[in-house]
Amino acid sequence: GEDVEQSLFLSVREGDSSVINCTYTDSSSTYLYWYKQEPGAGLQLLTYIFSNMDMKQDQRLTVLLNKKDKHLSLRIADTQTGDSAIYFCAERRSQGNLIFGKGTKLSVKP
Amino acid sequence: GAGVSQSPSNKVTEKGKDVELRCDPISGHTALYWYRQSLGQGLEFLIYFQGNSAPDKSGLPSDRFSAERTGGSVSTLTIQRTQQEDSAVYLCASSRGGLAQTYEQYFGPGTRLTVT
């Protein structure tokens, strides 16, 4: 299909790890992104990965890319209540625009 | 430094009226994008400007939508004869382009458009 797919909801306990999964569509996409959107706020770029990498780590965030399966994941270690938000996966098309998934709402329970 | 700014933050308009939404990209960013976010459709790409090149309008949903970018900086998105289905948050993003191209797109806070 033409859509970037994500599960809509994820609930975790504070201190646990969260894993948000995404499948994208265009095998020629060169960059893949994770954005965070808190209630009433704009889109915050969290991290991105180039398609020739299979992993990128940035503090509590780990991005894994399986290019063969067109699967991207974001792992948040030691999840905190402040991590509660909607997380969007996006792929960059050759024209430069981003195609977004519908977003995964992460709820962190104390 | 200053991020992407958009104005107005909220706009309520009557069906059939025209609206203009403004975006100020990050200084030095030559690439500018418009997206919209609505409950039913998620985040959709609308239009893309890169420097002085002709814009990529492939995401515009109808000919009621148009955008321009003056002097390679500020952009205005115009919606003519607004319809209720145009109600959404309109987001602008910018990134470095051309020879200094990077791949981070930074978003503004958006303009929430409500058509009554």
Side-chain angles (χ1 to χ4, degrees):
Chain A
E2 295 210 353
D3 293 340
V4 175
E5 302 279 351
Q6 301 178 240
S7 53
L8 293 181
F9 300 99
L10 177 66
S11 181
V12 300
R13 293 214 171 270
E14 194 172 17
D16 288 350
S17 291
S18 307
V19 180
I20 302 171
N21 294 301
C22 168
T23 53
Y24 60 98
T25 60
D26 188 350
S27 57
S28 65
S29 290
T30 50
Y31 285 86
L32 298 133
Y33 301 79
W34 286 103
Y35 282 84
K36 176 183 180 183
Q37 188 174 39
E38 294 179 90
L43 283 166
Q44 175 194 353
L45 177 63
L46 281 181
T47 187
Y48 65 97
I49 188 167
F50 187 48
S51 59
N52 70 351
M53 299 170 65
D54 50 23
M55 187 181 90
K56 181 177 180 181
Q57 188 153 2
D58 183 1
Q59 299 183 332
R60 291 190 298 122
L61 305 179
T62 304
V63 178
L64 295 178
L65 174 61
N66 181 328
K67 199 174 174 186
K68 172 175 164 290
D69 294 338
K70 290 185 276 189
H71 183 264
L72 183 73
S73 69
L74 174 70
R75 179 176 180 269
I76 305 172
D78 187 25
T79 313
Q80 302 298 305
T81 53
D83 295 323
S84 294
I86 300 177
Y87 290 81
F88 291 92
C89 165
E91 59 176 336
R92 184 180 187 273
R93 292 289 168 85
S94 56
Q95 307 94 304
N97 59 294
L98 300 184
I99 304 297
F100 287 86
K102 293 273 197 285
T104 299
K105 184 173 182 179
L106 175 65
S107 299
V108 183
K109 295 184 177 2
Chain B
V4 178
S5 61
Q6 293 185 243
S7 60
S9 53
N10 280 286
K11 176 73 177 177
V12 180
T13 190
E14 289 179 356
K15 180 180 167 181
K17 301 270 194 203
D18 298 352
V19 294
E20 283 189 352
L21 312 178
R22 177 188 166 108
C23 171
D24 277 276
I26 293 172
S27 178
H29 282 193
T30 58
L32 186 148
Y33 309 80
W34 284 97
Y35 297 84
R36 73 175 175 183
Q37 185 174 26
S38 58
L39 276 175
Q41 300 298 322
L43 272 154
E44 303 171 274
F45 163 70
L46 297 177
I47 187 170
Y48 161 44
F49 295 89
Q50 171 53 61
N52 295 321
S53 303
D56 175 355
K57 304 179 185 180
S58 58
L60 294 179
S62 79
D63 58 8
R64 296 186 295 105
F65 288 71
S66 62
E68 62 177 25
R69 190 175 184 195
T70 52
S73 181
V74 171
S75 177
T76 303
L77 177 70
T78 301
I79 309 172
Q80 295 179 306
R81 306 181 302 281
T82 51
Q83 303 295 311
Q84 287 185 328
E85 63 262 27
D86 300 334
S87 296
V89 177
Y90 289 81
L91 295 164
C92 177
S94 72
S95 67
R96 289 189 196 275
L99 295 177
Q101 187 174 38
T102 62
Y103 299 95
E104 300 102 328
Q105 285 190 23
Y106 295 98
F107 282 78
T111 294
R112 180 175 296 277
L113 175 66
T114 304
V115 182
T116 61

